[in-house]
């Protein structure tokens, strides 16, 4: 019985569903503003989340080829908030594979972004 359990555990480990070959992203709303939608990426290649309430964290979404230099637009009852990066590099650094949290805060109508690798 123990041997069968050991083989089962080994089989499950071999079927690893780790995130080593994909990039997953979630949004943390560190503001006191309820976002009715959040879009991250470039036009035509953006990933969107529905409502991300104040102080909450969204579910992970799979993204492709996202870099540290990306556009973010969050919609709220009082208007739009945006993050349009201004870096020397036009492309930024690729995030790479794994799980990331984009921590969003605001200053006026500008989104301040902090990227955390989870």
């Amino acid at each position: 019985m123990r041997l069968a359990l050991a083989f089962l555990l080994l089989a499950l480990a071999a079927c690893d569903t780790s995130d080593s070959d994909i990039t997953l992203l979630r949004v943390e709303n560190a503001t006191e503003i309820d976002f009715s939608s959040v879009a991250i990426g470039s036009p035509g290649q953006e990933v969107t989340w529905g409502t991300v309430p104040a102080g909450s964290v969204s579910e992970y979404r799979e993204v492709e080829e996202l870099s540290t230099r990306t556009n973010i637009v969050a919609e709220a009852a009082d208007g739009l908030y945006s993050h349009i990066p201004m870096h020397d590099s036009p492309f930024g650094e690729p995030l790479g594979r794994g799980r990331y949290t984009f921590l969003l805060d605001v200053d006026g109508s500008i989104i301040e972004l902090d990227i955390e690798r989870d």
Side-chain angles (χ1 to χ4, degrees):
M1 179 69 169
R2 288 184 184 182
L3 187 58
L5 181 58
F7 279 119
L8 178 61
L9 292 174
L10 273 173
L12 288 174
C15 297
D16 184 15
T17 57
S18 73
D19 307 321
S20 62
D21 58 344
I22 60 174
T23 303
L24 294 171
L25 177 64
R26 66 181 179 174
V27 174
E28 182 172 347
N29 182 350
T31 74
E32 296 180 4
I33 302 163
D34 292 328
F35 295 140
S36 57
S37 71
V38 176
I40 297 176
S42 57
Q45 294 183 340
E46 60 189 17
V47 179
T48 59
W49 285 261
T51 302
V52 183
S56 72
V57 180
S58 74
E59 74 281 358
Y60 284 100
R61 298 271 171 93
E62 186 173 349
V63 297
E64 293 187 28
E65 297 184 28
L66 194 61
S67 80
T68 57
R69 185 182 188 280
T70 188
N71 297 333
I72 303 170
V73 176
E75 188 174 344
D78 63 345
L80 292 177
Y81 296 85
S82 62
H83 172 80
I84 304 192
M86 296 182 162
H87 296 282
D88 294 335
S89 167
F91 303 108
E93 295 295 321
L95 285 181
R97 304 300 182 213
R99 291 177 177 250
Y100 297 87
T101 298
F102 274 27
L103 180 77
L104 309 183
D105 205 346
V106 296
D107 182 7
S109 64
I110 304 297
I111 292 176
E112 297 177 342
L113 172 64
D114 187 26
I115 301 173
E116 299 174 353
R117 185 170 186 133
D118 301 336

